[in-house]
Amino acid sequence: MLLSLKTYICSNLKHTTLKMNHKQDTPLANHHISVDCVIVGFDGEQLKVLLLKRTFKEGDTETQDMKLPGDLIYQDENLDDAANRVLTEQAGIKRMSTVQFKAYGSRNRTDKERDIKWLENTANIKVERIVTIAYIALVKIPANASSFKVDGNELCWEPVVSLPDLAFDHNRIVGEALIHIRQMVTNDPIYMFHLLPHKFTALQLRTLFERIYGKTFDVRNFQKKLKQMKYVTPLEEYEKNVAHRAARFYRLDKVEYNRLRKLGLE
Amino acid sequence: MLLSLKTYICSNLKHTTLKMNHKQDTPLANHHISVDCVIVGFDGEQLKVLLLKRTFKEGDTETQDMKLPGDLIYQDENLDDAANRVLTEQAGIKRMSTVQFKAYGSRNRTDKERDIKWLENTANIKVERIVTIAYIALVKIPANASSFKVDGNELCWEPVVSLPDLAFDHNRIVGEALIHIRQMVTNDPIYMFHLLPHKFTALQLRTLFERIYGKTFDVRNFQKKLKQMKYVTPLEEYEKNVAHRAARFYRLDKVEYNRLRKLGLE
């Protein structure tokens, strides 16, 4: 039995007290709060999300599945600080800006048997319900980083179009994060460049547009679009050691971007 | 003493248990969760927010201030359901769509003396920290509805540009809600028409644009803009009993709006 007697009695006393105090005969919610981070990257081909491997027992056999990096928050911790702690502790990412996008608090989001067991094993507490505040972080995927370890935890980049069955409601959270990222990029295109390397080709930029908006762009039309983006500067640098015709590199001109943005952009 | 001994012991036991169980020497957060509703309306002149009057004691004198309609959620209540309950119970608004826009969980958002006392008096529990999930609802302000009562509670519409010092962090929540409403309208102009009467004049629409975007629009330019909005239909109806030249009425053509929206709008 994982629960101490103290916790058990405490949790029952609490409900009784609340029930008696409140005008309606229903206990108030007094639950755990967590943050979950949807860390999205782009490898030049696909949008990928960073997932943490989770080990749990199913009967006598040990199984693995995946979850978003995330954690319960501490008593004195602000939500944004908790998201940044998770990025650092669980994904090894420091000083990354995060965007809070939605709270998930459905009663049944912690109902799956394997999630209940895992919570009891790792947090060592009986969690009845967890309201999670979901964050987005857009990052550049380092070369050869399809999987790696941080503090003993295994992490891997998985394409967002073919995710396995994740823990809790994390498939839903990733799906809604992608819709939110599309809105973020539409409102403020700078977010797209968080996903690209410092120097990028027109093909990379077009592919990224296609992945974010979920549709294909005609090459000629995209070249026109690219010329209209006055804040994307063509460089006198070209790809090296490639089998096809070497493509030109471009980069974001942040000063010009901010100037145009102040004028109201396009 | 408002806290029962049971609650007091329980809360201390809980923290001790968590402290021992967790890998770090800091208790996990296990807090109350609330929803707060920023109900915004437009009276033809100003954007206004619906506020609830709150009575509390300061020394021996009873004082009043204002807060957003909001409440702690129940054990089995989903977040969206709680927001809708608050709209109905506290503002008398039924079947209104709400948009969740941000969670507020800073440790110091419940630190003000008058807020602590009020929480202890109304909820009859010692609330250490409340993470609140904030919702937006856009409504048409009924005529002559500057203040009214619902279930004994006094409510009033206050202009968003001149709000008094509200309870908790509700000034901040309203401020950020207005920025979010601007984004909502930019992404999907239909939200603007939630704020207008069924029939409206060009002046009303222009004034609403000016309030949402916080800048003035030239009359001629706005007439051009209005003509470009193919989903706004001019009617063969004009204002009656007005001192100035009677203005034409317009209305939203939802079918046309949805058709254009599918094509990608403008």
Side-chain angles (χ1 to χ4, degrees):
Chain A
M1 169 145 170
L2 290 159
L3 281 173
S4 75
L5 190 60
K6 272 183 187 174
T7 318
Y8 181 72
I9 293 170
C10 161
S11 121
N12 279 298
L13 277 178
K14 191 177 66 193
H15 286 181
T16 317
T17 317
L18 288 172
K19 230 175 191 166
M20 293 189 303
N21 286 339
H22 202 268
K23 60 177 178 178
Q24 287 189 30
D25 192 25
T26 325
L28 288 169
N30 186 14
H31 301 292
H32 289 285
I33 295 156
S34 69
V35 292
D36 280 305
C37 297
V38 186
I39 307 168
V40 170
F42 174 65
D43 65 358
E45 280 293 326
Q46 292 293 337
L47 286 178
K48 290 185 169 177
V49 61
L50 190 60
L51 298 171
L52 198 69
K53 282 191 187 160
R54 183 178 79 152
T55 306
F56 59 96
K57 277 204 166 179
E58 223 158 30
D60 285 343
T61 55
E62 222 171 50
T63 323
Q64 275 200 327
D65 68 355
M66 289 189 274
K67 69 183 283 292
L68 292 171
D71 203 1
L72 296 167
I73 66 171
Y74 292 114
Q75 190 79 5
D76 281 319
E77 197 175 36
N78 288 334
L79 301 176
D80 294 359
D81 295 340
N84 284 314
R85 176 174 60 78
V86 164
L87 282 184
T88 309
E89 285 182 6
Q90 296 184 9
I93 298 172
K94 285 177 191 169
R95 290 182 299 280
M96 171 63 59
S97 75
T98 52
V99 174
Q100 191 209 104
F101 80 100
K102 195 172 171 190
Y104 293 83
S106 146
R107 178 70 183 82
N108 58 17
R109 60 180 301 276
T110 48
D111 272 0
K112 280 189 246 169
E113 192 57 32
R114 62 180 213 229
D115 293 332
I116 295 169
K117 279 192 184 160
W118 180 80
L119 283 168
E120 286 178 354
N121 280 322
T122 51
N124 206 5
I125 39 165
K126 183 165 169 57
V127 178
E128 292 182 359
R129 183 176 170 184
I130 304 176
V131 170
T132 197
I133 319 295
Y135 282 81
I136 287 168
L138 301 176
V139 305
K140 303 178 206 309
I141 302 184
N144 308 316
S146 66
S147 68
F148 58 102
K149 278 193 177 189
V150 173
D151 200 14
N153 287 313
E154 266 186 89
L155 291 128
C156 56
W157 286 103
E158 291 290 323
V160 296
V161 288
S162 56
L163 290 183
D165 184 23
L166 305 178
F168 305 104
D169 51 357
H170 290 185
N171 288 83
R172 181 183 167 191
I173 295 179
V174 174
E176 295 188 5
L178 294 171
I179 295 168
H180 196 83
I181 289 170
R182 190 184 300 174
Q183 278 177 7
M184 283 163 61
V185 168
T186 307
N187 293 337
D188 192 348
I190 197 111
Y191 284 112
M192 209 157 39
F193 300 95
H194 291 203
L195 293 162
L196 287 167
H198 184 60
K199 292 184 292 185
F200 48 85
T201 65
L203 175 63
Q204 280 177 323
L205 186 60
R206 179 163 61 86
T207 309
L208 179 54
F209 258 96
E210 293 186 341
R211 296 297 172 264
I212 288 176
Y213 287 98
K215 59 182 179 188
T216 51
F217 287 88
D218 174 78
V219 179
R220 270 165 205 266
N221 283 342
F222 191 79
Q223 281 295 339
K224 275 188 213 161
K225 196 176 172 68
L226 187 58
K227 275 191 186 140
Q228 284 163 359
M229 292 189 233
K230 303 289 185 202
Y231 48 88
V232 176
T233 314
L235 301 175
E236 286 308 317
E237 284 182 61
Y238 293 82
E239 286 181 315
K240 278 173 190 162
N241 307 320
V242 286
H244 54 80
R245 194 180 143 198
R248 183 191 273 266
F249 281 116
Y250 293 78
R251 70 168 183 81
L252 170 72
D253 182 341
K254 274 192 198 169
V255 175
E256 185 62 7
Y257 182 87
N258 290 332
R259 193 183 71 81
L260 290 168
R261 184 112 188 124
K262 268 191 189 163
L263 294 175
L265 266 173
E266 292 118 302
Chain B
M1 171 147 166
L2 290 159
L3 280 173
S4 73
L5 189 61
K6 271 184 186 173
T7 318
Y8 181 71
I9 294 171
C10 163
S11 121
N12 279 297
L13 276 178
K14 191 177 64 194
H15 285 181
T16 317
T17 317
L18 287 173
K19 228 174 190 165
M20 293 188 302
N21 286 339
H22 202 268
K23 59 177 178 177
Q24 287 189 30
D25 194 25
T26 327
L28 288 170
N30 185 13
H31 300 292
H32 289 284
I33 294 156
S34 69
V35 292
D36 279 305
C37 296
V38 186
I39 306 168
V40 171
F42 174 66
D43 65 358
E45 280 293 325
Q46 292 292 336
L47 285 179
K48 291 185 169 175
V49 61
L50 191 60
L51 297 171
L52 198 69
K53 284 191 186 160
R54 183 178 77 152
T55 306
F56 59 97
K57 277 202 167 181
E58 221 158 31
D60 285 342
T61 55
E62 220 169 52
T63 324
Q64 275 199 327
D65 68 354
M66 287 188 277
K67 69 182 283 292
L68 292 171
D71 203 2
L72 295 167
I73 67 171
Y74 291 114
Q75 189 80 3
D76 280 319
E77 198 176 35
N78 288 333
L79 302 175
D80 294 359
D81 295 339
N84 285 315
R85 175 174 60 80
V86 164
L87 282 184
T88 308
E89 284 182 5
Q90 296 185 11
I93 298 172
K94 284 176 192 169
R95 291 182 298 280
M96 172 62 59
S97 74
T98 52
V99 174
Q100 191 209 104
F101 80 99
K102 196 173 171 188
Y104 293 82
S106 146
R107 179 69 183 84
N108 58 17
R109 61 180 300 275
T110 47
D111 271 0
K112 280 189 246 170
E113 191 58 32
R114 64 180 211 230
D115 293 332
I116 294 169
K117 278 191 186 162
W118 180 79
L119 281 169
E120 286 177 354
N121 281 321
T122 52
N124 206 4
I125 39 164
K126 183 165 170 58
V127 178
E128 292 183 0
R129 182 178 171 184
I130 304 176
V131 170
T132 197
I133 319 296
Y135 282 81
I136 287 168
L138 301 176
V139 304
K140 304 178 204 309
I141 302 184
N144 310 314
S146 66
S147 68
F148 58 103
K149 279 193 177 187
V150 173
D151 200 15
N153 288 312
E154 266 188 90
L155 290 128
C156 56
W157 287 103
E158 291 290 322
V160 296
V161 289
S162 56
L163 291 183
D165 183 22
L166 304 179
F168 305 105
D169 51 358
H170 291 186
N171 288 84
R172 180 182 168 193
I173 294 179
V174 175
E176 294 187 4
L178 294 171
I179 294 169
H180 196 83
I181 290 170
R182 191 185 297 174
Q183 278 176 7
M184 283 163 61
V185 168
T186 307
N187 293 336
D188 191 349
I190 198 109
Y191 284 112
M192 208 157 40
F193 300 94
H194 291 204
L195 293 162
L196 287 167
H198 183 62
K199 292 183 293 185
F200 48 85
T201 65
L203 174 62
Q204 280 177 322
L205 186 60
R206 177 161 62 86
T207 310
L208 179 56
F209 258 95
E210 293 187 341
R211 296 298 172 266
I212 288 177
Y213 288 97
K215 60 182 180 188
T216 52
F217 287 87
D218 174 76
V219 180
R220 270 167 204 267
N221 283 343
F222 191 78
Q223 282 295 342
K224 274 187 215 162
K225 197 177 171 66
L226 187 57
K227 276 193 187 141
Q228 283 163 0
M229 293 189 234
K230 303 290 185 199
Y231 49 88
V232 176
T233 313
L235 300 176
E236 286 309 319
E237 285 182 61
Y238 294 82
E239 285 179 318
K240 279 174 189 161
N241 308 320
V242 287
H244 54 80
R245 191 179 144 199
R248 183 192 273 267
F249 281 117
Y250 292 79
R251 70 168 182 84
L252 170 72
D253 182 341
K254 273 191 197 168
V255 176
E256 185 63 6
Y257 183 88
N258 290 331
R259 193 184 70 82
L260 290 167
R261 184 108 189 128
K262 268 194 189 161
L263 293 174
L265 265 173
E266 291 119 306

